[in-house]
Amino acid sequence: MTTTSVRPASARRESLFVGALCLAVLAASAAAIGLHRRADDIRSLPAWQIDARSDLTPGEQGVLADLAIAAGEIAWLAEAGALPDVADLAAEGLPPFAPQASDGLRGGHVWSRSGGLYLGRSGDPRVAGSFLMIPGDPPAIWLAPGTADAPADPSQDALRSAGWRQVVSRYEASVTRHDPGAAQ
Amino acid sequence: MISRRLVLAAPAILWAARARAADPLRVGVTLHPYHSWLSNILGPHGETVPLIPEGFNPHAYEPRAEDIRRIDRLDVVVLNGIGHDDFAERMIAASSQPDMPVIEANRDVPLLAAVGGLSSRLGNNRTIGGKVVNSHTFLSVTGAIQQIQTVTRALSGQRPDLADPLRDNARAYARRLRRMRAEAMAGLADLPAASFRIATIHGAYDYLLREFGLEVTAVVEPAHGIEPSPSQLAKTIAAIRDLDVRVIFSELDFPSPYVATIERETGIRLYPLSHIIHGPYRPDKFEVEMAQNYATILRAIREQAA
Ligand SMILES: [Fe+2]
Ligand SMILES: [Fe+2]
């Protein structure tokens, strides 16, 4: 541990100590960042997946964040019964199902549920593609360019061949933090 | 594939053994927004304990012995865990409970990359290798609710006796936050689509601006919480002009003299936002200051559209 209580003999000594501590912290963090860079522990994704951090438009990132939360809320609602309809979710005030003032800036998606799938059809493919959310633990979120239709077959293979890509958010791909859980 | 794996690993077993039903939960937090969230999630079922005393800026905080001692009486610590509270791990390691269970609040948040400092920007390297994440997930309603869900699940998993009230509290609080945001954003409907370049002094508002579909073009600070040197500042001012930046979001709570220089030299309007790291810890702090932030962004959009 770098922190111990040190009784300063004088203010001068204390500021020297603080200065040294600052240098030590800087050196340690520089070394840590250097190590991480070299380790380059971030695997590249298969072609049918897409990285939420680097490969989505700002509009898509906004919708994704709302959709991930909605998936959590849907899981809580589903504890009480069946999967809620889009109208139920809108009534809860839950974006992206409830209309928001920012919708137009994020692709103007039109949402519908077909069976166990929630489809968000893009209204402006230049701003954002279409989304598909499959509730579960964890939920799966897929993205397709343009104005896609609901897939007849929601299996992973069918989605992949229909041009959908699964959105992947990688918590472990950060240089500030070690994540033992993500190592495997 | 938003990962929803177990947030607590081995220490959870220890915790389960230690926690007794009917005991109130004592939860440590590192930053003001987390304090507001936990106060609302726990309600009367627990106590939220800030690890940093009031008046310290977490960007420059070094743990003190008396702060570390506060950890001794906690049941669990909720961490930002992606760069805004790296001091907490050291505090826990130095405490009498080095195996303190922690909840990684950001586990399920879709993280954004940190935008590189303006002075080091050469045009195309928008992010620092794309690998440094932006740790300010707590400065958006979306990031807040995702973390509230994750924390609530983790707490409920360990205290099944409290699962129902905690979930109800979390859902009610999330609904209130959504309503606050919807009201704040309502004025956006009458405005034309925003398309202007944005810079921020501190790289704290990317998650918030994503809620408007907006992107930050550049961050002035060369690194998180580090002021630019005079030569970096000169380059920054040149870069802001080159990039045709129209709006700069600055800091309400820690203004620096160099920010006024940027405003004077570029003539670009500054709009101060709250990082929510200043002042007394209050359960309603997050709601109140986020509502102000939404209003400020709306004002910037309106004035740019005019
Ligand atoms: Fe790592
Ligand atoms: Fe910050």
Side-chain angles (χ1 to χ4, degrees), chain B residues 138-287:
Chain B
F138 51 87
L139 290 173
S140 72
V141 161
T142 315
I145 296 177
Q146 183 73 70
Q147 294 181 75
I148 288 162
Q149 288 184 357
T150 298
V151 169
T152 303
R153 281 202 193 84
L155 292 175
S156 304
Q158 295 314 306
R159 286 290 299 267
D161 59 312
L162 294 179
D164 286 350
L166 297 190
R167 184 199 54 222
D168 292 347
N169 288 349
R171 287 190 62 200
Y173 182 51
R175 203 175 294 130
R176 205 160 75 231
L177 293 179
R178 284 197 298 266
R179 200 176 308 134
M180 177 272 286
R181 181 178 63 178
E183 279 164 18
M185 280 190 168
L188 206 58
D190 328 315
L191 296 174
S195 60
F196 49 86
R197 290 252 170 96
I198 295 169
T200 64
I201 299 295
H202 189 76
Y205 306 105
D206 298 58
Y207 293 94
L208 178 54
L209 290 163
R210 271 304 181 287
E211 297 189 311
F212 292 85
L214 295 171
E215 192 177 16
V216 175
T217 296
V219 174
V220 169
E221 284 183 353
H224 185 216
I226 308 289
E227 287 196 4
S229 67
S231 77
Q232 284 174 326
L233 185 58
K235 283 187 211 155
T236 295
I237 289 169
I240 286 175
R241 290 205 186 102
D242 285 355
L243 289 166
D244 190 27
V245 166
R246 296 292 184 77
V247 167
I248 300 175
F249 291 109
S250 57
E251 291 300 323
L252 194 63
D253 291 330
F254 45 105
S256 312
Y258 78 88
V259 174
T261 309
I262 294 176
E263 183 171 35
R264 198 175 56 242
E265 293 289 316
T266 63
I268 296 169
R269 182 79 193 273
L270 297 185
Y271 296 88
L273 296 174
S274 171
H275 193 304
I276 319 185
I277 52 170
H278 184 78
Y281 288 93
R282 292 168 52 101
D284 67 351
K285 187 176 181 68
F286 181 76
E287 288 159 83

Side-chain angles (χ1 to χ4, degrees), chain A residues 1-3 5 21 25 37 40 42 49 52-53 57-59 61-62 64-66 68-73 75-77 79 92-95 100-102 105-106 136-141 166-171 173-179 181-182 184, chain B residues 1-5 62-63 65 68 79-83 86 89-91 93-94 102 104 106-113 128 130-133 141-143 145-146 149 152-153 167 170-171 175 178 181 185-186 188-189 193-194 210-215:
Chain A
M1 258 315 89
T2 45
T3 44
S5 31
L21 191 67
V25 168
R37 283 279 162 76
D40 202 20
I42 301 158
Q49 292 186 329
R53 196 181 305 163
T57 67
Q61 285 171 333
L64 171 74
D66 279 337
I69 294 174
E73 189 73 22
W76 272 333
L77 288 169
E79 276 175 24
E92 286 269 329
L94 198 68
Q100 291 185 102
S102 59
L105 300 174
R106 309 199 312 187
D137 187 18
I141 296 175
Q166 187 177 21
V167 181
V168 177
S169 183
R170 291 186 288 175
Y171 181 70
S174 150
V175 295
T176 61
R177 181 119 184 108
H178 271 279
D179 181 18
Q184 303 88 16
Chain B
M1 196 172 60
I2 309 297
S3 162
R4 186 137 300 154
R5 260 169 306 155
E62 274 302 319
I68 292 169
L79 292 181
N80 166 269
I82 54 171
D86 290 346
E89 278 180 299
R90 287 179 283 135
M91 291 175 80
V102 299
E104 304 270 12
N106 276 298
R107 160 72 68 187
D108 297 327
V109 176
L111 301 175
L112 299 176
I128 309 160
K131 288 177 193 170
V132 178
V133 293
V141 161
T142 315
I145 296 177
Q146 183 73 70
Q149 288 184 357
T152 303
R153 281 202 193 84
R167 184 199 54 222
R171 287 190 62 200
R175 203 175 294 130
R178 284 197 298 266
R181 181 178 63 178
M185 280 190 168
L188 206 58
R210 271 304 181 287
E211 297 189 311
F212 292 85
L214 295 171
E215 192 177 16

Side-chain angles (χ1 to χ4, degrees), chain B residues 54-68:
Chain B
E54 250 170 56
F56 285 78
N57 184 337
H59 292 103
Y61 174 73
E62 274 302 319
R64 305 176 307 166
E66 61 262 47
D67 300 338
I68 292 169

Side-chain angles (χ1 to χ4, degrees), chain A residues 130-153:
Chain A
S130 296
F131 280 91
L132 192 63
M133 196 267 284
I134 307 172
D137 187 18
I141 296 175
W142 295 69
L143 183 70
T147 55
D149 286 315
D153 174 4

